[in-house]
């Protein structure tokens, strides 16, 4: 096939129709569980071999390839998917992904994002309003929470460091304060920024794995005594392992008192700003200077799509004051419509269009409904766990993340860690459920994050039955 044929509209029409039909059947099979397996797990080397064979098979029928990709992937739309915090995207948003993939407007400059830049502005303003910020607030979209947190900390440094690190490099020793339960990307961001180990001050957490705010003053003074300049405190909303929300109000007040940047990592839980029922979990979020919220976690958008919202939008233009004259005629001005001025990305996915399609189709109520459903489901799961003496909760959950472990009678407390590790491994290999595991204060827990709103109580009951079943075969 030559290039002209490869670009043929008729080929596309045919293949796209077939693919959409295949995906609709897949969705149906996943949702009604005709599809039994949630994860077709294989060891990495075995999986590599499968695909090497496929590759050596040469060029062929693309529909067969699509079907194989579907079959061999982890099925987020299966109600027994309860693993990592990525959403089963709404079909309409995935479909919009086909549209934006075709248009491929690169966004960095206005002319290359005539639609996606205004939509990004509208979505940022909407989210700023939900957070409780005033009209000075707005923000941007970027490729994932990890990159968004790094971008926020760069903005924090531009605003709060005593010298201009961007122009002059490092002269002082900067630091940020964060809970020991924060997502690892905060640690990584601080190291990328040259702060080193000493620049990441980890504050211990309480029995609910929330930052112990009563220690902030003490840690701050200790850092100052060592010659460190603390520029920011990061609150987790919520933490990744246990879904614990830090006390944002108190952290915000502490930051105001010491003139520190207050950043909220709400990659997962920031979505509760859409929910009347659960938004009190992030009380005080409006005190933040910057907030990160992943649209691809509880907000049903295909990955990656992350909002970074600034209380004062001026701050967002100070993050990268690098010269790129050929791109922007007016270097100093605050042009929201030139995406690349404020993001790491030069070329950027048209992610705003996918998010906007959800709002356009269903209104923002759909976000509230999803957040409420997932949180309510976690509460149901707690009830089921507590009614069964062979299970123990890691911590009373605040969000849709539940940590628990099997503590059946045939096992002794010394063996709980290894027993639960075996359970999780077997679940993975059997593939009828997908859950993960985490270690909290040296105890290994099974961890469920309820990301699929079509998961039902019966699925959770079935999960526990399967775990008990596996346990009978261990030691
Ligand atoms: C998921 C998550 C991240 C990382 O976000 P990505 O979009 O996966 O890069 C950061 N912080 C928290 C609290 C998270 O839950």
């Amino acid at each position: 096939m030559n290039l002209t044929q490869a670009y043929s509209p008729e080929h596309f029409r045919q293949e796209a129709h077939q693919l959409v039909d295949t995906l609709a059947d897949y969705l149906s099979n996943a949702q009604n569980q005709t599809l039994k397996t949630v994860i077709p797990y294989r060891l990495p080397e075995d999986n590599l071999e499968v695909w090497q064979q496929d590759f050596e098979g040469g060029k062929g029928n693309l529909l067969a390839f699509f079907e194989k990709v579907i079959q061999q992937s982890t099925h987020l739309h299966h109600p027994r998917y309860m693993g990592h915090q990525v959403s089963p995207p709404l079909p309409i948003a995935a479909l919009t992904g086909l549209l934006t993939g075709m248009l491929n407007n690169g966004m960095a400059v206005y002319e290359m994002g005539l639609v996606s830049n205004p939509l990004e502005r509208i979505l940022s303003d909407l989210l700023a309003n939900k957070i409780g910020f005033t009209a000075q607030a707005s923000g941007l979209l970027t490729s994932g929470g990890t990159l968004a947190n790094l971008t926020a900390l760069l903005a924090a440094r531009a605003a709060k460091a005593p010298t201009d690190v961007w122009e002059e490099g490092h002269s002082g020793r900067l630091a940020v304060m964060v809970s020991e339960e924060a997502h690892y990307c905060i640690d990584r961001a601080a190291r990328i920024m040259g702060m080193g180990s000493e620049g990441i001050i980890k504050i211990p957490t309480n029995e609910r794995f929330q930052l112990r705010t009563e220690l902030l003053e003490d840690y701050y003074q200790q850092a100052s005594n060592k010659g460190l300049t603390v520029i920011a405190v990061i609150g987790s909303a919520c933490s990744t392992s246990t879904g614990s929300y830090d006390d944002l109000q108190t952290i915000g007040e502490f930051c105001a008192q010491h003139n520190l940047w207050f950043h909220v990592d709400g990659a997962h839980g920031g979505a509760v700003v859409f929910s009347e029922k659960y938004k009190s979990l992030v009380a005080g979020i409006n005190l933040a200077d910057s907030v990160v919220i992943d649209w691809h976690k509880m907000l049903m958008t295909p990955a990656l799509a992350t909002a970074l919202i600034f209380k004062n939008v001026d701050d967002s233009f100070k993050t990268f004051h690098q010269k790129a004259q050929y791109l922007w005629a007016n270097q100093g001005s605050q042009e929201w419509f030139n995406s690349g001025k404020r993001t790491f990305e030069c070329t950027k996915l048209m992610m705003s269009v996918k998010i906007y399609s959800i709002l356009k189709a269903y209104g923002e109520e759909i976000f509230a409904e999803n957040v409420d459903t997932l949180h309510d489901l976690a509460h149901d799961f707690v009830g089921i766990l507590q009614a069964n003496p062979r299970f123990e909760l890691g911590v009373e959950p605040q969000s849709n993340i539940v940590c628990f472990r099997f503590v059946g009678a045939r096992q002794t407390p010394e063996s709980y860690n290894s027993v639960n590790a075996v359970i999780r491994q077997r679940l993975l290999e059997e593939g009828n459920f997908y859950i993960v595991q985490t270690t909290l204060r040296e105890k290994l827990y099974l961890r469920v994050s309820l990301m699929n709103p079509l998961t039902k109580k019966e699925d959770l009951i079935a999960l526990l039955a399967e775990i008990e079943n596996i346990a009978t075969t261990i030691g």
Side-chain angles (χ1 to χ4, degrees):
M1 201 186 272
N2 64 25
L3 269 174
T4 309
Q5 289 164 331
Y7 274 106
S8 147
E10 281 316 310
H11 271 293
F12 171 69
R13 192 187 308 280
Q14 227 175 17
E15 280 163 356
H17 277 291
Q18 283 176 340
L19 177 59
V20 169
D21 282 338
T22 303
L23 282 173
D25 290 342
Y26 165 66
L27 260 187
S28 164
N29 291 337
Q31 287 174 5
N32 67 26
Q33 305 193 22
T34 316
L35 175 67
K36 290 289 167 225
T37 308
V38 181
I39 176 166
Y41 187 76
R42 263 200 215 103
L43 291 171
E45 292 306 321
D46 297 341
N47 227 350
L48 179 61
E49 203 179 304
V50 167
W51 288 103
Q52 276 168 338
Q53 276 169 11
D54 181 273
F55 189 62
E56 279 154 20
K59 289 176 273 189
N61 180 344
L62 215 55
L63 197 65
F65 166 69
F66 290 154
E67 277 171 1
K68 191 162 167 182
V69 169
I70 293 171
Q71 226 173 51
Q72 308 283 328
S73 293
T74 301
H75 307 303
L76 278 64
H77 288 90
H78 194 297
R80 295 185 175 183
Y81 172 87
M82 309 167 186
H84 288 287
Q85 295 147 266
V86 185
S87 76
L90 281 173
I92 190 75
L95 195 58
T96 309
L98 174 62
L99 171 72
T100 57
M102 184 66 88
L103 296 174
N104 210 27
N105 280 207
M107 284 200 72
V109 296
Y110 177 59
E111 301 99 90
M112 287 298 288
L114 294 173
V115 175
S116 43
N117 279 310
L119 293 187
E120 181 165 323
R121 168 74 189 269
I122 291 167
L123 292 168
S124 299
D125 291 352
L126 169 82
L127 211 45
N129 183 264
K130 287 280 148 197
I131 288 167
F133 284 155
T134 64
Q136 283 173 333
S138 191
L140 48 92
L141 290 169
T142 189
S143 302
T146 298
L147 201 58
N149 279 316
L150 174 57
T151 310
L153 293 185
L154 285 168
R157 186 175 71 182
K160 300 293 185 189
T163 59
D164 185 351
V165 182
W166 192 265
E167 290 297 333
E168 298 156 18
H170 285 281
S171 49
R173 291 152 65 208
L174 303 179
V176 296
M177 303 206 299
V178 64
S179 110
E180 63 187 4
E181 285 294 318
H183 190 275
Y184 73 87
C185 72
I186 301 290
D187 185 283
R188 188 176 280 185
R191 288 173 197 274
I192 289 170
M193 290 168 67
M195 296 188 209
S197 305
E198 68 166 8
I200 306 135
I201 300 167
K202 296 207 171 133
I203 316 281
T205 54
N206 62 23
E207 72 288 347
R208 299 197 73 175
F209 299 93
Q210 301 158 313
L211 185 147
R212 285 178 59 191
T213 51
E214 74 278 12
L215 299 177
L216 280 170
E217 186 65 45
D218 208 36
Y219 275 70
Y220 179 72
Q221 291 307 335
Q222 279 178 35
S224 304
N225 293 345
K226 276 198 283 185
L228 290 162
T229 305
V230 177
I231 55 167
V233 184
I234 297 111
S236 300
C238 47
S239 67
T240 304
S241 285
T242 57
S244 303
Y245 287 85
D246 286 341
D247 175 355
L248 303 182
Q249 183 72 33
T250 304
I251 300 174
E253 286 163 9
F254 176 83
C255 287
Q257 199 185 336
H258 292 279
N259 189 29
L260 303 175
W261 185 277
F262 177 28
H263 175 62
V264 173
D265 179 5
H268 179 80
V272 300
V273 296
F274 281 102
S275 159
E276 282 307 313
K277 192 168 172 186
Y278 290 104
K279 71 179 183 192
S280 62
L281 287 167
V282 291
I285 194 171
N286 58 320
L287 300 178
D289 294 290
S290 54
V291 177
V292 162
I293 300 177
D294 275 344
W295 289 95
H296 59 260
K297 285 185 176 161
M298 276 197 279
L299 301 173
M300 299 173 290
T301 306
L304 294 166
T306 300
L308 169 55
I309 308 295
F310 292 85
K311 176 160 67 192
N312 184 348
V313 72
D314 295 353
D315 286 322
S316 69
F317 290 93
K318 297 174 187 155
T319 319
F320 309 103
H321 38 105
Q322 192 177 27
K323 313 240 181 323
Q325 298 293 8
Y326 67 95
L327 286 179
W328 298 295
N330 191 350
Q331 188 58 29
S333 73
Q334 302 198 345
E335 295 169 346
W336 58 265
F337 43 83
N338 285 319
S339 165
K341 277 195 166 184
R342 298 186 291 163
T343 60
F344 263 98
E345 297 99 325
C346 177
T347 303
K348 186 169 87 177
L349 290 172
M350 301 169 74
M351 46 188 98
S352 60
V353 185
K354 294 180 214 168
I355 305 163
Y356 192 84
S357 73
I358 299 174
L359 282 161
K360 193 78 185 163
Y362 312 113
E364 66 176 65
E365 306 84 69
I366 194 99
F367 295 130
E369 194 182 337
N370 195 50
V371 166
D372 290 355
T373 303
L374 298 177
H375 280 64
D376 291 348
L377 201 54
H379 291 151
D380 288 346
F381 190 35
V382 169
I384 297 166
L385 282 165
Q386 285 177 333
N388 186 334
R390 290 175 298 285
F391 289 95
E392 180 182 273
L393 263 183
V395 56
E396 182 79 32
Q398 291 182 289
S399 70
N400 56 332
I401 297 169
V402 185
C403 299
F404 66 102
R405 58 185 193 155
F406 181 77
V407 293
R410 291 171 69 237
Q411 276 78 29
T412 59
E414 296 73 50
S415 68
Y416 288 161
N417 277 4
S418 56
V419 166
N420 282 278
V422 171
I423 289 171
R424 142 76 187 166
Q425 185 61 28
R426 290 270 187 87
L427 284 170
L428 185 66
E429 287 162 11
E430 288 174 4
N432 299 325
F433 294 84
Y434 182 59
I435 71 167
V436 295
Q437 68 182 41
T438 191
T439 301
L440 305 173
R441 310 219 158 110
E442 268 121 61
K443 292 181 179 176
L444 188 136
Y445 288 91
L446 303 170
R447 177 175 170 279
V448 153
S449 51
L450 295 159
M451 297 306 288
N452 188 331
L454 304 184
T455 300
K456 296 273 178 289
K457 254 174 137 169
E458 296 79 73
D459 297 305
L460 297 165
I461 292 168
L463 168 66
L464 297 191
E466 179 121 337
I467 290 173
E468 296 213 51
N469 207 5
I470 292 171
T472 58
T473 69
I474 308 172

